Amino acid sequence: MEMDNLEIIEDIADVEEVKLRPIGVYVKRDKNGKVIQINSEIFIEDLTGWEKIDEGFGDKYAHAQSLYKIKTDSD
């Protein structure tokens, strides 16, 4: 199936909109409120149970697991 020019332009606009939107960083907490998981919204299928703690552009937000530190009891 071939796309006409209008469909191509709409697809490009969708990609550009995603590039301009900030990436959310989310955490999951245990029953005591301690952070037990952290991730970027781009890797979370269902945000149920997740709390947004930050948002922005770039690797810090896209790769939140490696760039945000979860403090442990030994820290």
Side-chain angles (χ1 to χ4, degrees), residues 9 19-20 22 24 28 30-31 33-34 41-42 46 50 53 55 57 60 66 73:
I9 290 169
K19 284 182 184 178
L20 297 176
K28 268 197 176 180
D30 67 13
K31 63 182 179 181
K34 182 178 177 182
E41 71 179 305
I42 61 178
D46 180 5
W50 290 87
I53 61 161
E55 70 178 8
F57 301 93
K60 176 181 178 183
S66 61
D73 292 336

Side-chain angles (χ1 to χ4, degrees), residues 18-33:
V18 169
K19 284 182 184 178
L20 297 176
R21 193 183 67 180
I23 300 166
V25 175
Y26 288 80
V27 295
K28 268 197 176 180
R29 298 179 185 271
D30 67 13
K31 63 182 179 181
N32 299 316

